[in-house]
Amino acid sequence: MNVQNENVGDVVTVVEYKFQRRDVLRLGLGGVAAGSLGVSGAASARADDAPPPAAPAAPPAAPAPDLSSIGGPGVMLAPPVAFAPGSVTDMARALAKKPFKAVTADLPDPFKTLTFEQYSAIHARPEARVWSTETVGFALEPLHRGFIYGYPIELNLVSQGQAYRLVYDPKLFDLGALHPGAKTGDIGFSGFRVFVPHTKVDFAEIANFQGANFFRALTGGQVPGLVSRALAVRLADPKGEDVPSFRTMWIEKPSLVTNALIVHAVIDSETITGAFRFTIHPGEATIIDTECTLFARVAVDNIGLGTMSATHLLGFMDHRKFDDLRPNVSEVCGLQMLTGAGEWLWRPVANRDTLQISTFIDEKPKGFGFLLRDRNFDDYADEDQHWERRPSLWIEPLGEWGQGGVQLIEIPSESEGNNNILCFWRPKQPLAAGSETPFAYRQFWCWDPPERPQLARAITSRSGRGSGKRRRFFVDFSGDILADAARTIDVKPTLTASSGTITSVRAFPTDDKKSIRIFFELDPGSDLSSELRLLLEAQGKAVSETWLYRWTPA
């Protein structure tokens, strides 16, 4: 493994790990799910474990609850057990004190070896939707197991301090050409979808929890795109990744008064357990507040908070790599960051030739996320995938996160089916064995983040071949601030490179003065990489965000 460190200013550290490509492409794929919680008192009793009827002499039993009021007339539920939100933390703490026990993914025929096409043909029937006939503002749809989603996640519905485990019934699904036997049994689920009313007779999906600890969300008019994780452990680490998985999840029955859906979860892995609480707020942006307490079984020096992954196959910065009729094939344009010092950073993403890891060192970060700034259909020209309608994801820490860095991972990919671009916050302080560490943050799954720089933004970045070894670039900055003559007197680009030589720097303002294109060339000489840093300044003050990019040869 070759490791190279480059320092740019005082905020960026870049590291390149040269692993075998086949070992790292899987890092962006959500192909592992979870199993049921093995903590005493945590899992609901199953229907076939119910006690025998009371003897005739015993007092009459209390009337059974109307389970149809908990989940709906078509949903099967196990007998209830007491539930309190604080018990989830206790369960995760107790689980961390026990040796890790992997959960089997065994499935009966015909679900054992499903292909993608067979799994995609499985659909939940209308009666499988929880709360769809009630006026509570949300509906849930359990997801079938199979294909890469083989591991079970125990799902529980919570109402009035009682948890009711959701029981699998093949009759709830349209299985297509599959014909399970009569003794299939309760095989559980691989996750669930979250819906909100869209019309008087229809619902729209806003979130999906499925596979390992993966989840995604979107808002009105969007199609599903990038994926988030509750937690990443040793992601792209030479020691090998440890993938925590949802074991058990509890979904509280919502109400129109709160207009929020609360989901509790326990995650488990070889190194760590965690208690999570997700509060989902629908609206112009789908907001997910995430609160967690992490319990380390062993010392852990590499965790990722607010982890997100996206597809980037082809863009204006790396168009030379593919013979594709589409101009762009990408779910995100770049990584936006607001540092603890208040500096706005923008880093375009690229489909690299070698795996690269960049860490943007910071303290008390104010926000970061993958954004899709280009929403022009003609820049994608894909009527099937509609990349221009994918969500952006912006994360704001709740409370201070201390020292660490936003880590960007760019993995070489030759398929648009790979989530090959990842980022997360990596705390500097390791988790000690036996420690309990809380974190909280807010996610905005949106068209545009709620907070945007009052500066010119880099809306377009392009790169192409120059003369000899030179590489040509141009960056388009746009913003109302550029039309403010009093603030932009003698505006000029400030451009640096960590290695090589910058030449031919030119500026081309538009007629309306609201945009400016900065053109330049990089002569790398014999260097194999160069960190580029560009911003616009006027009268000694920044009038644009800081544009960052790492050049490497093809």
Side-chain angles (χ1 to χ4, degrees):
M1 177 184 71
N2 296 324
V3 180
Q4 180 179 352
N5 293 287
E6 297 285 350
N7 294 322
V8 180
D10 58 358
V11 295
V12 183
T13 299
V14 179
V15 184
E16 178 179 355
Y17 291 91
K18 294 185 178 179
F19 295 141
Q20 292 295 321
R21 181 173 173 276
R22 62 177 178 271
D23 295 331
V24 296
L25 270 179
R26 63 181 179 82
L27 298 179
L29 302 177
V32 183
S36 56
L37 180 65
V39 180
S40 177
S44 304
R46 297 187 179 273
D48 52 9
D49 293 333
D66 179 10
L67 297 186
S68 65
S69 67
I70 307 301
V75 178
M76 294 180 61
L77 300 173
V81 296
F83 174 84
S87 63
V88 179
T89 303
D90 295 336
M91 295 171 193
R93 181 183 295 113
L95 191 60
K97 295 178 181 178
K98 298 180 179 181
F100 174 71
K101 185 177 180 181
V103 178
T104 178
D106 287 346
L107 277 168
D109 290 330
F111 307 123
K112 186 178 296 185
T113 57
L114 295 183
T115 64
F116 171 77
E117 290 75 15
Q118 289 173 319
Y119 182 75
S120 299
I122 298 176
H123 300 286
R125 299 185 185 277
E127 56 268 28
R129 285 193 179 177
V130 177
W131 308 320
S132 61
T133 60
E134 300 188 52
T135 309
V136 296
F138 294 87
L140 303 180
E141 182 180 277
L143 296 172
H144 207 284
R145 292 174 60 197
F147 185 49
I148 60 175
Y149 306 108
Y151 289 85
I153 301 175
E154 183 180 286
L155 303 180
N156 297 272
L157 305 181
V158 176
S159 178
Q160 298 182 347
Q162 299 290 310
Y164 302 79
R165 185 179 58 80
L166 207 57
V167 178
Y168 172 83
D169 183 352
K171 295 179 182 178
L172 295 177
F173 295 90
D174 179 353
L175 301 175
L178 302 176
H179 300 286
K183 297 182 179 181
T184 299
D186 183 2
I187 62 174
F189 305 95
S190 65
F192 63 94
R193 291 190 179 98
V194 180
F195 296 85
V196 294
H198 177 57
T199 66
K200 291 183 178 180
V201 296
D202 195 14
F203 286 83
E205 180 178 349
I206 64 165
N208 176 312
F209 290 77
Q210 185 182 32
N213 64 88
F214 295 87
F215 62 98
R216 72 201 319 170
L218 68 165
T219 190
Q222 294 180 340
V223 297
L226 75 169
V227 179
S228 184
R229 303 187 189 192
L231 186 69
V233 180
R234 298 199 308 252
L235 188 58
D237 193 298
K239 300 175 185 176
E241 184 181 359
D242 178 31
V243 183
S245 297
F246 289 128
R247 285 293 184 94
T248 305
M249 306 184 80
W250 298 262
I251 306 102
E252 294 188 20
K253 187 174 183 178
S255 70
L256 290 178
V257 176
T258 60
N259 193 32
L261 183 69
I262 298 175
V263 179
H264 305 270
V266 166
I267 66 169
D268 189 23
S269 76
E270 292 182 0
T271 62
I272 203 165
T273 71
F276 281 76
R277 175 188 171 106
F278 305 97
T279 305
I280 304 171
H281 306 270
E284 185 176 345
T286 295
I287 299 173
I288 301 182
D289 289 335
T290 301
E291 306 163 74
C292 67
T293 302
L294 305 179
F295 302 88
R297 281 193 171 95
V298 298
V300 183
D301 63 356
N302 183 352
I303 65 168
L305 301 173
T307 304
M308 59 190 79
S309 58
T311 294
H312 178 84
L313 181 70
L314 174 64
F316 289 134
M317 295 295 283
D318 46 23
H319 206 278
R320 67 187 185 278
K321 297 186 65 172
F322 295 97
D323 182 17
D324 196 301
L325 58 86
R326 298 168 294 181
N328 288 278
V329 181
S330 182
E331 291 179 329
V332 296
C333 295
L335 171 62
Q336 174 90 69
M337 291 164 279
L338 177 57
T339 70
E343 182 180 14
W344 286 95
L345 305 176
W346 174 253
R347 167 69 179 272
V349 298
N351 187 357
R352 303 287 184 166
D353 292 298
T354 58
L355 172 70
Q356 297 182 35
I357 302 175
S358 307
T359 302
F360 303 86
I361 302 300
D362 199 7
E363 183 174 358
K364 301 177 183 178
K366 297 179 181 178
F368 68 94
F370 278 151
L371 306 187
L372 186 63
R373 285 183 170 176
D374 184 358
R375 296 198 176 275
N376 181 2
F377 169 80
D378 291 336
D379 286 340
Y380 303 90
D382 192 332
E383 288 87 350
D384 293 320
Q385 296 297 327
H386 281 291
W387 303 98
E388 78 283 357
R389 291 168 52 192
R390 306 296 173 103
S392 293
L393 175 54
W394 178 253
I395 288 181
E396 293 181 353
L398 300 176
E400 294 185 356
W401 278 7
Q403 295 182 329
V406 176
Q407 195 160 93
L408 171 66
I409 301 175
E410 296 168 300
I411 304 171
S413 177
E414 297 178 359
S415 169
E416 63 192 73
N418 294 326
N419 280 7
N420 60 312
I421 308 294
L422 304 93
C423 82
F424 51 87
W425 173 260
R426 178 175 175 176
K428 180 180 179 180
Q429 183 67 37
L431 303 184
S435 62
E436 301 183 10
T437 310
F439 292 100
Y441 56 90
R442 174 166 292 166
Q443 293 185 336
F444 295 86
W445 298 78
C446 55
W447 294 98
D448 290 298
E451 187 172 5
R452 297 168 59 178
Q454 301 300 309
L455 303 166
R457 299 189 303 159
I459 58 172
T460 304
S461 304
R462 298 204 184 198
S463 176
R465 186 177 63 182
S467 58
K469 291 184 178 181
R470 292 184 180 184
R471 194 73 185 167
R472 291 178 175 174
F473 295 86
F474 75 69
V475 181
D476 289 340
F477 290 95
S478 181
D480 291 338
I481 189 173
L482 295 179
D484 187 343
R487 299 179 64 183
T488 55
I489 297 175
D490 297 327
V491 62
K492 62 181 181 180
T494 299
L495 179 60
T496 60
S498 63
S499 60
T501 304
I502 297 291
T503 63
S504 305
V505 181
R506 291 180 288 170
F508 302 95
T510 57
D511 292 339
D512 62 7
K513 306 299 183 183
K514 290 186 178 182
S515 299
I516 186 170
R517 172 170 294 177
I518 305 302
F519 172 92
F520 63 94
E521 290 189 346
L522 171 68
D523 185 350
S526 59
D527 294 310
L528 297 179
S529 67
S530 182
E531 291 292 342
L532 306 176
R533 184 182 181 95
L534 168 66
L535 76 156
L536 302 180
E537 291 185 315
Q539 304 176 69
K541 295 182 179 180
V543 294
S544 76
E545 63 187 2
T546 301
W547 178 90
L548 305 170
Y549 190 71
R550 186 184 194 202
W551 168 83
T552 55

